[in-house]
Amino acid sequence: MDKERLKPEFFSVAEIVRNSGSNTFQLVFENPANNKKTMFLERVMAGLSLDGATIAYTYDQTLTVAVGQTNNVTVGVIVPSTNLNFGSSENTTLNVGLPTSFSGLVARSVTKHPSGECNLDFQGRIIVPPGTNLLVTIVDNRAPGRIGSLAVTVIWSEALAE
């Protein structure tokens, strides 16, 4: 068995978005067709924090998280990713960023979180082979004028494609 296949690399992206009103945050993971590695989605975590002066703890905290496959992605701003093995210098082989456009979205997971936080453990069960793209969308339900922060972390692993 190939030694690389036994030792996947784990990566993460962590972002905090602060604004008022409803917020949609999207991250695209583009696995190039010529890549030799497959992505395995491990975990999606998110939490919404409302500023004290604007808090009305009702529906305002609800998050909707969607994970799906998409086609024809244009990656805009590249988001820095980190190798979770502090002793490794390997970088992700994916293009990770904020999408400026995409089409053909096919949802694989859609969940609603009334508490304003989520910790979805996919355990590598959402698999993104070379030539495919993954889109993670997180929508919070803040009412207009509500100010707060949305923190998002996505963790994935990469291993040689078969």
Side-chain angles (χ1 to χ4, degrees):
M1 185 157 247
D2 191 332
K3 199 175 195 182
E4 279 288 318
R5 195 178 312 278
L6 295 175
K7 288 178 54 179
E9 294 283 342
F10 289 86
F11 300 93
S12 73
V13 166
E15 290 288 312
I16 296 177
V17 180
R18 181 172 168 73
N19 69 4
S20 60
S22 183
N23 186 48
T24 298
F25 179 77
Q26 294 181 309
L27 271 176
V28 65
F29 299 83
E30 181 184 37
N31 195 348
N34 63 347
N35 194 1
K36 291 184 170 51
K37 293 194 175 181
T38 295
M39 172 195 183
F40 299 88
L41 183 62
E42 300 291 336
R43 189 175 295 267
V44 174
M45 298 172 282
L48 176 62
S49 170
L50 298 175
D51 287 2
T54 67
I55 294 175
Y57 288 113
T58 56
Y59 70 93
D60 279 346
Q61 292 179 213
T62 301
L63 293 178
T64 303
V65 180
V67 177
Q69 180 181 358
T70 187
N71 300 315
N72 303 321
V73 171
T74 302
V75 179
V77 175
I78 298 296
V79 176
S81 59
T82 304
N83 190 320
L84 294 177
N85 177 351
F86 293 178
S88 175
S89 61
E90 290 293 315
N91 293 319
T92 182
T93 60
L94 306 177
N95 297 317
V96 181
L98 308 176
T100 57
S101 67
F102 59 88
S103 66
L105 183 63
V106 178
R108 300 294 195 237
S109 170
V110 178
T111 55
K112 213 166 228 344
H113 306 273
S115 67
E117 57 188 36
C118 75
N119 185 353
L120 302 173
D121 188 359
F122 293 104
Q123 299 178 355
R125 292 185 184 122
I126 294 184
I127 301 165
V128 185
T132 57
N133 307 305
L134 178 77
L135 182 70
V136 174
T137 302
I138 300 172
V139 180
D140 67 53
N141 196 35
R142 279 183 274 166
R146 301 285 193 248
I147 299 169
S149 300
L150 177 65
V152 177
T153 300
V154 178
I155 298 173
W156 70 97
S157 63
E158 295 176 24
L160 285 177
E162 293 188 13

